[in-house]
Every structure is written in structure tokens, then in C-alpha cells.
Amino acid sequence: MIRTFKEHLIRQTLELDGSWDFILDPQNIGQSEKWQERFPQDHRSMFVPACWNNELNLFDYEGVAWYRTSFHNLQEQHVRLIFHAVLGHADVYVDGIHLGYHYGGYSPFQFDLERLSAGNHELIVRTDSTLDKLTIPTEVVDWFHYGGIIRPVELQLLPDVYIDTWRVEYELAGRDADVSITVRLRSAAAEEQQVPLSVYEGGRLIHNETVQVSAGQTSVSIKQKWSDVRLWNVGKPELYSIRVVAGQDDVIDRIGFRRIETKDHRILINGVPVYLQGVNRHEEHPEWGFAFPPKLMQKDLDIILELGCNTVRGSHYPQSKYWLDLLDEHGIVFWSEIPMWGCFIPRDTLGNTLFRDRALAMIDEMIERDYHHPCIVFWSVHNEIDTTCEEAEWLTKPLVDLVRRKDSSRLVTYATMHPLKDILLPLFDVIGINKYNGWYEGQVEGFAQLLEQFHARADALGAGDKPVLMTEFGAAGIFGDVGWEPRLFSEDYQAHVVSTALRIFKEDPRIGGTYIWQFSDVRADLKSSGTHFRDRARSFNNKGLVNEYRKPKQVYRTVRDIYRSWK
Ligand code: ADA
């Protein structure tokens, strides 16, 4: 299930989920032996979507794996194959023919196959989950190195003239909106066609015309003035469902009207300052890895609402559309980011063109996919890279420029772990600080002094007027480990660190909100062969407010009292 609502009433769609043929290729011989033409006999099966590391005997496997399934065309027809997320490198073959390559992990890519013949077709996907110095994330990362096809593979049947892409944008003045809808049609027919094109809002026809469509692409731009729109507010969301019908094809998405600004160190939604009360959420579970099922998203949402949150940071990658739909529906602010994490090797990584190109592609795909979601307020370009070096500046400027070019309605941000030495502060609309006083360094009470020093530095760099969000802080607490003394790794100590930090941040008028690290415990990058993060007890990052099965720790109840009292 990809969305909480139907995206098409006419276009036929099918999720190719279930059991696929699967084989590991640790020596990477499949390409030379042309497995795309003759898939090996000795395969096992693997569920799609899933992470293979959650299956028996595959916990440790990082590398190449091949998947195979088939689908049937009742007649010759145009087919779109959408891969909603495949971790790492992906090569896709249909009937032995290479359709293309994609690098990424958490955003979709697709192929249109025009006039695909009737009959059975074999679909093969080669994936490679290997992380290195130039992958995003790189090989040193504090989450589990999963592999696999982690989100649905969707097959869509397209008519001769179909909606290729579309976008709804608006300018808001009070409650009046200048709405512009751009639809890009694609025609697989040789002759010119007359195509009726209609737009509906909540089922009501709001536009109708006939479009002359020639072979290839045709763009249609519709401009309207809407007055008295219902605004999407935090905790009180209003959504508009827009449907475009072009001949025998249709698409549906939802938008929400809201204005995002910053003023006096606060984030303003529709002119109202909102103190952000949030958590960092990995979309991860010990049984499903990153192939997180919608039913559990609903549960995560309920637990987060119960906690008194009005925001979530999607640490550290674009999260499922289904999750964003839920946040849209509940008026929760979302921070979306690409999985650039850490990267402590300036020359080799941050200064590398391939690395930067990969980041640009990921940002592009994230914004393309999620532009319509009103819940998204922040686009974040990286987390905890070495922001003290020139390479970071060389890398970051084009990333920020790309975000601004693609979407000027939202705020561009990042999360720094070097607040006192960071040279990038002036580039952003909002600054996120990750610091672990009370855990990795010093006492939690030291936060007050750290922030004083930070503000002085931000002022000196001319970035003193920007809102600052505490995007990470916390401590590990092993579920069930309680006692009388404030021992590291106890639930008691964790609750002490988080509650003290929250109060210090709230008293600082220049802090606009908090994202506790983290919502739930998650698997750490600690396999038998792992050399990093060896301090992660149980091979988990235990800083969750709830454990990996979403059972509350003491800190959950403490934070609930605090967040709810601030609402
Ligand atoms: C960093 C990082 C998180 C997590 C955290 C921790 O701030 O961004 O992903 O690794 O530290 O628990 O140490």
C-alpha cells in the first residue's frame, strides 16, 4: 500500500509484491555470466518489499543480490514500472534487456515501456547494497546496512496519451491563492490527438478544456484564483484533493494551503509562531528493517501524537509516502532529508564530484516526489558532515541552490554537530544543532553555556537572526533497566538527560524547537564484522523513547508530561 488514498480511478495499477526469486552474488559474477538472461536454478525466494537482512542466515550480508519475478500483459500495451525504493545500486532488466540503472535508496525511479507485447514478461533486478566512501550514506553510518527492495514495485497500464508528470503550485495572500497546475502529457501515438482535460477539486469540476496533443510531450498550464481557502494549520489540517483527468488517464494528489516564514527565531505557519516539539524517527523495525509496513506507521503516529509532538524529523532519509500522508492528515510538521550522514573524510568524500552528483540527484528526487505534501516544512541537505572545511562549502552551496530553485516555498536546513566551528551557518534558513551533552560530552546542564557560545558565533557570522532547532540530543537507556542511581544506560538517567535538556532549550528564546534523539531504538551498524559503533549495547542504538517494539520507556512518559504541558 503506497498511499492512504487512491491515486488513480481510471489508470490501472498493480503492486508486484509477494515472493520473488532471489539469489546472492557475493563474487559479483552474475553480470559476466549474464544472469539477466538465464537466472540461476539454485535460487531461493525473497519477499518484496523487504530487507533481506531480516531473513535467516542473511543478517550480515552486504553486497550484490538478484531478484526475479514476472508479469503478464493481456494485450500489447504501454506499461510503467515504478520502483518506490531499492537500497543502493539497482539495475533493471525486462526480458533480458537493460532498462536502466539507479543509485539511491529511498526515492522512486521508473521506466515507461511503450507497446510492450502481450504475454509473460520477466523482470529482473540486480541490487547492490555495498557502502563505500562515495555512497550516500558512506560505509561509516550509525544505522544498519540493510539491502533489498524496500518499498513496493508498481506496475501501471498507460493509455496512448497519458499524464507523465504534474505539479500544483500556489501563491498565498491571506486566504486567497493564485493556483497554477502544470500537466505534462505524453503521447505514444504517431498522430496528433484531441484530448479532453478536466481538473476536479474534491470531486467538483473546476476546469475543462480540449488539448491538442502531438507525439512526444505536451505541457498544459492552468491558472486559477481561489478565494477563501481553508488553511492547513499545525494540528488543524485542511487538505484539498485534486484530480486531473486527461482522456483515458487520471491522477489524484492532495495539497494543503499554508505559508511558511521565520521571524524572531521562530517558525511561523500561516503567520502563527509554532514552537516545534518533536522526535527523530527512523523508519525501521527489527522484523521489517526499512520495509516498514503501513499498519505500523499508523501505530508510530498514534504514539507520537500521544507524546504531544507537533513535528517529526525524518532521520535520515525520505520516508514513505504513506507516512507523509498520515502527517498531512494530522497537521504534523515534517523535516525531510537525504541520507548524507557523517562523512568525516573531507577530501575523499565531501570534495568528490560523484558524491556531490549523487546528493544532487537525491535532493531532486526527494522534492519531485514530495512537493505536494503540506506537512513538509524543511528540506535538509545533510546531517553531521564535517562542516568546518572548505570541501563542505563546495559541496553544500549547489545542494542549497538546487533546493531553492526547485522549491522556494519551504525552508532549507541541515544538522550540524560542530556548532562552534561551523562555517556554513549563513547558507541556510534554519540551523539544526546535534549535541549530546550528558552522553558523549560533559554534563547535560552544560547545554546553556554551549548555546550562549553558539549564539555569539552565529551573530559574528551574520547568522544570528535564524531560527535554531535542537535537532538531536539524548542518551541511551536500555529498556527495563531501572534503579535508584543515575547509571549510564539506565532508563532513569536517560529520562534525566532528556528532560533537563528540554527545559534548558525551552528557556532559550533563540531556540525554535526540539527533536529528541530518538523516537524508537533502532538497529546499529554492528554486525559480527563491524568495527564501528561498538558501544551500541545489544547492537542497537538505545536512545529511543520507546524500544524497537514500541514499548515505552520511562523517558517516554517524562517527555509526554513536558510536551503536553507546553501545548
Ligand atoms: C548522531 C547521528 C544519529 C545518531 C546519534 C547517536 O547525532 O546523527 O544518527 O548516530 O548521533 O546516537 O550518536
Side-chain angles (χ1 to χ4, degrees), residues 142 316 341 383-384 434 436 440 472 517 536 541 543:
D142 186 16
H316 288 294
W341 186 101
N383 174 71
E384 294 198 352
N434 295 359
Y436 284 87
Y440 297 121
E472 286 188 33
W517 186 265
R536 299 289 188 251
N541 185 322
K543 300 189 190 74

Side-chain angles (χ1 to χ4, degrees), residues 469-489:
L469 304 175
M470 296 309 297
T471 34
E472 286 188 33
F473 56 97
I478 306 285
F479 179 72
D481 185 50
V482 290
W484 294 108
E485 60 286 317
R487 278 173 299 100
L488 294 182
F489 286 102

